[in-house]
Amino acid sequence: MSGRETSGDGATGPGGPEGPIGIDELLEKVRADLDRIGPERAFGEASAGALLVDIRYAALRERDGLIPGALIVERNELEWRLDPQGSHRVPEADSHELRIVVICNEGYASSLAAASLRQLGLHRATDLIGGFQAWKAAGLPVDRADR
């Protein structure tokens, strides 16, 4: 038998038929399916009705500030809060057609989060290239967290 054993259904060990992959490869795969956007475009889309969702943890929001109008949803609650069919959804999550731009600190976790939202049928979900740090560096509006 080869180095990988299969079950009777053709599946192999961890990671599926191809085997396990590293985080860099996973990130590359999920990003291939996202129309990732930069800060200026995210700002424009928010002005046109897109929902900006900040998934950074509290310490980063307190340290660096907040994007005005962004919905704060901790990463561990994201799918429950944004699933239009979910019993724990936020009022803004009223349609699978909703344009969602997920924002983390530097644009890594947000790619994985946006891919997860797409699995829930939120096919217009994407993320912000460079995350909050790119938004701030672009000179876009940031509020202090203590307001």
Side-chain angles (χ1 to χ4, degrees):
M1 199 164 202
S2 71
R4 277 204 272 188
E5 295 183 21
T6 62
S7 64
D9 63 4
T12 59
E18 302 86 31
I21 63 172
I23 187 61
D24 292 331
E25 186 178 347
L26 176 61
L27 203 53
E28 185 178 323
K29 282 184 175 196
V30 300
R31 285 178 170 173
D33 291 333
L34 297 174
D35 174 27
R36 302 182 76 221
I37 62 176
E40 291 83 3
R41 183 167 161 201
F43 180 77
E45 288 196 18
S47 298
L51 181 62
L52 301 182
V53 179
D54 187 342
I55 64 169
R56 294 176 300 144
Y57 53 89
L60 289 176
R61 295 191 312 266
E62 291 167 9
R63 182 189 77 189
D64 295 335
L66 305 167
I67 295 173
L71 178 66
I72 307 298
V73 179
E74 296 277 341
R75 175 62 189 99
N76 63 324
E77 297 181 354
L78 185 70
E79 291 81 1
W80 284 269
R81 299 290 182 241
L82 294 180
D83 177 6
Q85 298 175 342
S87 60
H88 293 85
R89 72 175 181 83
V90 294
E92 295 88 345
D94 59 359
S95 168
H96 283 93
E97 298 302 315
L98 182 63
R99 174 63 162 176
I100 298 170
V101 181
V102 183
I103 302 166
C104 67
N105 194 48
E106 294 181 344
Y108 295 97
S110 58
S111 295
L112 299 173
S116 180
L117 293 177
R118 284 175 165 252
Q119 289 180 321
L120 290 175
L122 293 157
H123 63 95
R124 297 182 67 212
T126 191
D127 76 318
L128 176 62
I129 299 167
F132 178 86
Q133 296 306 322
W135 177 279
K136 191 173 181 178
L140 295 170
V142 173
D143 284 341
R144 290 177 36 142
D146 60 356
R147 287 188 177 178

